[in-house]
Amino acid sequence: MNKEEIISHINQQESNSIKFAVTDIDGVLRGKLISKEKFLKSLDNGLGFCNVVFGWDINDATYTNTMVSGWQTGYPDSLSTIDINTLRKIPWDDDKLFFLGDFEHSEDLNKVCPRSLLKRIQKECNDLGYLPNFSNEFEWFTFVESPHTLQHKNYMAPVPLTPGMFGYSILRSSQHSHFVNSIFDSLHDFDIPVEGLHTETGPGVYEACIKYDNILSAADKAVLFKSSVKEIAYQEGVMASFMAKWNKELPGCSGHIHQSLWDIESKKNLFFEQSSESKMSSLMESYIAGQLHCLPFILPMFAPTVNSYKRFVEGSWAPTTVSFGIDNRTTAFRVIRSSQEAIRVENRVPGSDANPYLSMSASLASGLYGIKNNLKLEIPVTKGNEYDNTTTEPLATNLHKATKAMKESDIANELFGEEFTDHFIKTREWEWKQYDPQQANWELKRYFEIV
């Protein structure tokens, strides 16, 4: 719908309120209910948010090391822009209207806003003549808990929705069919079409694959997917967590990103080459080479929390090295060649705790880096078990090391701009400094509900 049609649609709604949200640096939706009258005025003028939305951490503690937002700024309002193309109705909230926005036109926040960053990288890709089609798949654990029960027992021993290890289980899905069907059907009605939903190996764990779309819409859907699953779980009397690794004895939760570049008319997948033995075009090879080259220096974009790095262990279905393979789930990047239309590269590095705007920005920007610099695939393709490979560069083992590598390289500045990179690095340095391993269940308290 165009703007006039949007206005007409809003005026026809019985509800006097509209839900609107932006996304902070950690990928958390920050929003509010707006009256129809105020919302309609804001279509042109923008909606004000205190600039602390980029000046506090995931637990609302204000940064003392950032320049964009902080006490030194006085915390003024910054104007967010409403994206009318994100109009949705929330099926589990009486079809209330919902919109997303960003700070693309804000003088003080546009350079650090994750959604605005993705729009800039998407435009760069389009200017090169490519259409990026992406999708996210997520794993998450579900618990017979509430925020109150967890707090009451100091986050000790959260109780999973179902017991035991039972991947692809029809029985477990049937056991809680109302919850599972509510997710699948409600998300479809919320314009987040899910292609597949099943149990994974682990107690109370599910995996869902979102249908691919242009990269901005794909990131919008990924951000909304996580929040929607949590909201639906609350209404079912349970709790969903997208922590990367809530229990060291169990598999972690991934947020894999599927990527391909098409011609601008979206008629041809440019990653496919019939004459190539691998079926990969030279464009795809350079794209993967760029991702491999940049990965060690942008890892916090994929693994942004202290907990993220607990997932990178051998034999856990998560990568541990800078590697790629053909349909190989032990590597960081997995090439999938099921058909000319579906050929793509899966980035298996991000966990479910990653901010989709940032993980997709980093995936696309590093791939374009390889194309622009005509990089060749010099890292050999992994055949067999990458966990047994002792010659491949390992991923950083904690947030401190990964952030230090990002800070000491010029790669991130080139990919994302100096202002964003400086702000993001400082937020990750802050995150590491908050870590208190002596405090019981520190990671669960910080990340369990919110990421």
Side-chain angles (χ1 to χ4, degrees), residues 131-150:
L131 178 71
N133 282 331
F134 277 51
S135 72
N136 245 136
E137 61 177 273
F138 288 109
E139 296 164 347
W140 75 94
F141 280 81
T142 312
F143 300 85
V144 187
E145 299 284 0
S146 73
H148 291 292
T149 62
L150 283 174

Side-chain angles (χ1 to χ4, degrees), residues 33-244:
L33 287 177
I34 310 293
S35 70
K36 286 199 297 188
E37 180 183 7
K38 181 175 178 63
F39 189 87
L40 290 171
K41 290 179 180 178
S42 301
L43 287 174
D44 289 325
N45 302 325
L47 273 169
F49 277 81
C50 175
N51 82 0
V52 77
V53 293
F54 290 112
W56 58 18
D57 66 15
I58 201 165
N59 286 171
D60 290 5
T62 52
Y63 299 129
T64 59
N65 63 335
T66 59
M67 298 303 297
V68 174
S69 173
W71 294 111
Q72 76 279 0
T73 70
Y75 291 118
D77 275 352
S78 297
L79 290 178
S80 62
T81 301
I82 301 165
D83 187 341
I84 63 173
N85 295 312
T86 63
L87 168 64
R88 287 170 165 81
K89 290 184 178 181
I90 309 174
W92 56 91
D93 192 9
D94 297 324
D95 283 340
K96 186 179 294 296
L97 297 187
F98 177 90
F99 290 85
L100 280 170
D102 54 52
F103 292 89
E104 182 179 12
H105 302 297
S106 168
E107 290 186 7
D108 55 342
L109 298 183
N110 73 90
K111 294 292 180 61
V112 301
C113 170
R115 191 172 191 267
S116 302
L117 173 68
L118 181 57
K119 290 166 81 170
R120 291 194 294 273
I121 295 173
Q122 180 186 40
K123 183 180 184 303
E124 178 187 355
C125 186
N126 294 156
D127 289 344
L128 290 171
Y130 311 126
L131 178 71
N133 282 331
F134 277 51
S135 72
N136 245 136
E137 61 177 273
F138 288 109
E139 296 164 347
W140 75 94
F141 280 81
T142 312
F143 300 85
V144 187
E145 299 284 0
S146 73
H148 291 292
T149 62
L150 283 174
Q151 188 176 55
H152 180 72
K153 62 183 184 180
N154 199 32
Y155 285 79
M156 290 292 293
V159 179
L161 182 65
T162 56
M165 312 291 272
F166 205 167
Y168 293 109
S169 171
I170 295 297
L171 291 177
R172 289 290 185 245
S173 296
S174 298
Q175 185 179 358
H176 298 281
S177 59
H178 190 270
F179 172 57
V180 174
N181 291 332
S182 293
I183 290 175
F184 201 99
D185 296 336
S186 295
L187 288 176
H188 179 272
D189 293 340
F190 197 45
D191 191 27
I192 306 177
V194 172
E195 291 190 327
L197 173 61
H198 61 86
T199 64
E200 260 290 359
T201 182
V205 63
Y206 292 89
E207 177 179 306
C209 303
I210 306 170
K211 184 179 180 180
Y212 77 88
D213 203 341
N214 72 79
I215 190 171
L216 181 62
S217 293
D220 287 343
K221 291 174 181 177
V223 167
L224 292 175
F225 176 91
K226 292 169 66 175
S227 183
S228 299
V229 168
K230 293 174 187 178
E231 291 182 32
I232 294 169
Y234 284 149
Q235 294 193 352
E236 294 286 329
V238 296
M239 197 171 180
S241 177
F242 289 79
M243 270 187 74

Side-chain angles (χ1 to χ4, degrees), residues 348-394:
R348 297 179 58 81
V349 179
S352 284
D353 58 343
N355 180 339
Y357 292 120
L358 298 188
S359 58
M360 289 193 188
S361 289
S363 293
L364 180 58
S366 57
L368 294 179
Y369 179 93
I371 292 172
K372 289 184 291 184
N373 290 281
N374 195 30
L375 297 186
K376 306 301 180 184
L377 268 177
E378 297 178 350
I379 295 177
V381 61
T382 295
K383 298 179 180 179
N385 187 358
E386 173 63 23
Y387 298 130
D388 290 338
N389 192 345
T390 60
T391 63
T392 316
E393 180 180 358

